[in-house]
């Protein structure tokens, strides 16, 4: 197991691009990312139901302007556009963005660093889906500060990420998956760290919903 993990970390390091805070194994992961997400979520009621709950949390109505930070292959983008949102999305990994552009051509998808982004006009909502667990605490604070800066007062932030509240026997299997396949840097998010960092960034959290039998969580918060 140790060897597998070292190999995965090695691949991630080799693939790292500037800036240094961007964890980037996505040259290799992009071709299989959608298949991985689909199969990992299948035992928990499927990807559509899972991602649909996140779209619901955003409260999208026709024309809602959403800033998606870390679009990946566009799985959330497509669903938000279908719900009527006008999406601007950012990602640094070109192989992921290429797929997102094909999936959601209606969205404005840009190769850009979340931490450096400045909005031309304020957004109604912002989404960070499975992005913060790849970041160290300082980088996370930077990403949340971008969300705060780009939202209008009263705008909604939705954060989707891993959670550590699954029951036995799902919990040990899930933690083994995390050890093998995910960067160690975000492990504190499982034990309440996600809620703490969103609150520390100045957001008022109104809801913390459990998804996929406690392996994921969605936080809904407002920019004061
Ligand atoms: C695990 S993927 C999640 C993708 C998608 N949100 C989803 O729900 O499937 C994380 C994505 O965040 C992007 N990302 C991480 N740090 C970033 C940064 N600083 N600027 C832009 N994109 C970043 C990665 O390139 C990757 O595509």
């Amino acid at each position: 197991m140790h060897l597998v993990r070292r190999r995965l970390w090695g691949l991630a390091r080799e693939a790292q691009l500037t800036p240094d805070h961007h964890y980037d194994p996505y040259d290799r992961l992009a071709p299989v990312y959608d298949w991985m997400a689909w199969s990992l979520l299948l035992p928990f009621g499927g990807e559509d139901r899972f991602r649909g709950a996140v779209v619901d949390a955003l409260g999208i109505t026709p024309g809602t302007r959403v800033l998606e930070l870390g679009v990946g292959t566009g799985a959330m983008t497509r669903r938000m556009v279908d719900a009527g949102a006008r999406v601007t999305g950012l990602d640094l990994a070109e192989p992921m963005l290429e797929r997102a552009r094909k999936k959601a051509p209606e969205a404005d998808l840009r190769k850009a660093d979340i931490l450096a982004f400045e909005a031309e006009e304020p957004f109604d909502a912002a989404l960070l889906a499975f992005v913060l667990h790849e970041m160290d605490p300082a980088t996370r604070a930077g990403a949340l500060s971008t969300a705060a800066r780009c939202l209008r007062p009263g705008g909604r932030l939705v954060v989707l990420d891993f959670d550590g509240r699954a029951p036995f026997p799902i919990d040990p299997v899930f933690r083994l998956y995390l050890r093998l396949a995910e960067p160690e840097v975000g492990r504190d998010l499982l034990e309440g760290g996600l809620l703490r960092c969103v609150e520390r960034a100045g957001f008022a959290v109104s809801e913390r919903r459990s998804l996929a039998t406690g392996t994921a969580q969605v936080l809904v918060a407002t920019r004061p």
Side-chain angles (χ1 to χ4, degrees), residues 22 26 33 51 70-72 91-93 112-114 129-130 134-135:
H22 182 223
Y26 292 109
Y33 186 88
R51 294 202 186 262
V71 296
D91 207 293
L92 271 171
D113 185 358
I114 293 169
F130 289 122
E134 297 187 346
M135 296 175 162

Side-chain angles (χ1 to χ4, degrees), residues 102-132:
K102 284 193 187 125
K103 213 175 276 162
E106 304 90 335
D108 172 11
L109 300 179
R110 309 181 192 178
K111 182 169 182 181
D113 185 358
I114 293 169
L115 273 70
F117 183 70
E118 298 292 343
E120 296 101 38
E121 53 171 351
F123 288 86
D124 302 308
L127 172 67
L128 279 156
F130 289 122
V131 174
L132 294 184

